[in-house]
Each structure stands twice: as C-alpha cells, then as structure tokens.
Amino acid sequence: MRHALSYVTPETKNIDSLYHIGCDCGECTALADDGQTVRFGRSFDGLLQQALQNIYEKQSGRGRIEIPPSLFALNNRPLQTAAGRTFQNFGAEFGKRNERFISQFKDNTAIFAAFKSHSEAEILSKLIRTENGELRSFYEFRKVAAPVVGKYNRTWLQTEYNMVVRSARMGAQWQTFEEKKHIFPNIEYMRTSSLNPRPEHESFAGTILPVDHPWWDTHTPPLSWNCKCSIRQTRREATDLPPGEEPVSPVFQNNPGKTAQAVTDKHPYFPEGCASCPLPGERVIVSPELAAGQRKDCYNCLKAMKAAEVKTAQARKREKLEDSMLPLLKKNVIRAVAADKQIKITFKKSGNSHIVNDVLEKNIKLSGTELAKIDDLIREAEYVRSSDLYKDRSDNIQRFYYFKDKKRNIYYNVAEEVVKNKNGRVYLNRFIYSTTGKIPFKKHKNRKAAT
C-alpha cells in the first residue's frame, strides 16, 4: 500500500515507517491498552478550516512559516487530554504530591506539539502552489491538503496520543517508585502483554536492577510505538544486564519519570540541532555546548517554549503568586496616618504584580502564604510617614504612604492616585503599590518636603 504522503518529503515517509514499523497491521496501529482514543468533536472541523485558511493566506506570498494557533490546538489539545486523564486516574492525592512533575510533562507535550505543528505547516505551505509555481485556489489547496491532514491529525495523532498515555502512566508510576525505593529498592522488567512481542524487548524480561541504575534512563518502557512492556518494583535480588542487547531507538532512550517527556527530541519533528531549528524567532543560546552545535535541548529551549505557549518555571511561579492574591482585590484595609486622618487602602492587579516582582526579582522575603494575606500584614505594620514624589511619573500617582513591617524588616508602599470616574467626579484612591527594603529619600526638586 502506497503511503498517502510519500510524494511530499522524505521526513513524512520516515514518520510513517517509525510509527507503523513498515506495515498497517492491527497490532502496529492498536489503540492504547486501556481503550482510550482521540475524540474528533465538532471543534475539529472548525479548527482545521481556520488552520488551512491561515496557512493559505499567509503562505501564498511564500513568507516565513508560522504556526497558526488553530493548527497548534489541533495537535496539542488531544495530547494534553491524554496526559490529563492519565494523571487523573492516579488520584487527587497523587496530583497534589506531584504537581510540578505533571506540569512539566504537559509543558513538554506542548513543545512536542509545537514542533509537530511547524512540520505540518511547512508541508501544507508547499501545497499552496503547483509544481510549476502557480497559485492553487483555496478549494484545490484544501483538496490536496486532505492526505496531509489525515496523516498528521488523525493517523499519527492517534499513535502519539497512545504514546502520551503510556509515557504519562509510566512517569506517574516512576514517581511512586521513587517514594517507595527504601522498601522496594529494585525494579524488574516484565514480559509484555502483546500478542506479537518484539524479540528485542523480550530479551529484557526478567532483568532486575536498582531504581537508581543508569540502565533505566534508556530502557524504561515504552521502548517503541505502542509498546506494551511494563516494569514493577521488587525486593528480589538484582541480576546482570541483558547480554548482547539491541540498542533502543534514540527516540525512546528515555525515562518519562525522570525527564517528564513522552519521547526524546530525537523524534523527526525536531531539528538535528539548534542551527537548523525551524521555529520562528531569534535563536536562543543557553549554553556553550548549544552554541557550538554539540548538542540540543529542545524541551528546555526558550524559543520552543514561546512557540508552544509554555511558560518558564519563573513565569509559572509568578502566575501562581499573582493568582493567590486575586481575593485581595475585593478587600481593603483602614489605617490611621495622623491623629485625625484615616485612609482606606485597596488592592489593584498592577500593584499585586509589582509586589510579586519585588519578591521574585528584588529578594523581598515574603512567602506565597504571606502574599495572599498581605492585608493582615499591613494592618499590623507601623505607619512611618508619607512623602510627595521624588521623581517624575507618567501615571496619576502623587504621593506614597510607608508602613514598616518590623518582623520582616520591609516597608509596604501605598500609592495615592488621582482618579476621575465616568461621571467626571475626582477622588483619591490609595492602593498597595510595592514593597521595599528602605524608603526612597531623594527629594524631587519641584516637590515639597516630606510630611
């Protein structure tokens, strides 16, 4: 049977061969052993139409290839569903203990989907014009694009969905192995449940090695597409390594529980090196080895993260802290600033973000729990003084009030801004603006002395 994409690029034939092991039998294309499968709902056709229109309109002029958000959604959403459902099956308590691992696994899955989407967009863009360079109509383009979509978003996606399910399951199991290795120090490679086992995988069956043995870094199942091998913890004595074993494909030399990856970046969707990276944007060099082209690290590349809409660890931490402060937007604090004067201190998203930035970038010692209850800290802090501005500003802030937290040795800075509502009424709004280790002392030349 001739593959539908054999006429497009050698890369697509490589993926067909990689996924189907040279055939289209039921074993090679079997669903995950728990019966999960990709569900193509009503949104699929809508996203597909958007993706094709976007590629046709932007690539007709042969410009730089970008990833349409709709195409990324077609490839990413099902894989995120596969990971999410698998981790949910391990229970809520598992999720709480392994929140960081689960987040990283999903992020890496999104990066995989980004490279896949760029690969698909690149092939689709080549079909916009005929071999003679003539522009096809959108109807003709959609027709010739159908086999590509069939492979990328149905046949291959199902195989990748299965892979994410199995890798996520193994990753979750590995977390429990780490928790219990003081009781069960070794791991045993189990015989596969497949009706047609691969001989090279059968040779691994019965191998018992310590949890921390480096062999598991490259031999933790799944070791191929739709591999049904498994491992288990045991107290049985360790064995020798399998003699004369066949090397595992670089795509699967992986331990999902350690790397949080479904497959390695040796998959054909990924570039051979940083210099040949197809993703749009500036090349990001994060180490001398990458700069010299000696290795690549696509799952930790800022360029790949941006393409996959994945946040860095710092960005995720910032978002989590800001989310914890959202309830403060409905609260206020009343504080006396003179014998006959009180002010109402409110909270704004901009101020909360500023405070989070102080914590992350300026080493202000406030925990996430303390940030969420900073209104109580301001109530307990000692009022010091207020001052006019010491530098020009482009906003409506005209004064600051300073409160000292003696326990934490920091100041809470409350801004006073002039606000005009839609009815034209002008009033003063005071809100927590930032935190600092000391009060600014430089006096603005056009301002009065501090009160």
Side-chain angles (χ1 to χ4, degrees), residues 259-312:
T259 67
Q261 301 167 10
V263 294
T264 70
D265 58 11
K266 301 298 189 296
H267 187 283
Y269 290 148
F270 293 85
E272 292 185 0
C274 294
S276 60
C277 181
L279 296 179
E282 295 294 326
R283 183 181 177 198
V284 180
I285 301 299
V286 295
S287 74
E289 293 84 0
L290 290 177
Q294 296 173 2
R295 68 177 182 87
K296 62 178 180 178
D297 192 5
C298 299
Y299 284 114
N300 291 300
C301 173
L302 299 180
K303 185 176 181 180
M305 290 181 184
K306 183 177 180 181
E309 301 176 348
V310 167
K311 299 178 178 64
T312 63

Side-chain angles (χ1 to χ4, degrees), residues 60 66 68 70 93 100 137 139 159 219 230 232 271 301 315 377:
S60 296
E66 298 182 355
S70 49
E93 285 302 315
R100 183 176 179 182
S137 68
Y139 173 80
T159 303
H219 291 75
S230 62
R232 70 174 182 182
C301 173
L377 301 185

Side-chain angles (χ1 to χ4, degrees), residues 4-25:
L5 293 182
S6 61
Y7 67 91
V8 180
T9 63
E11 288 78 10
T12 54
K13 290 199 295 185
N14 289 343
I15 296 174
D16 254 342
S17 176
L18 181 70
Y19 284 6
H20 296 134
I21 322 173
C23 72
D24 292 316
C25 72

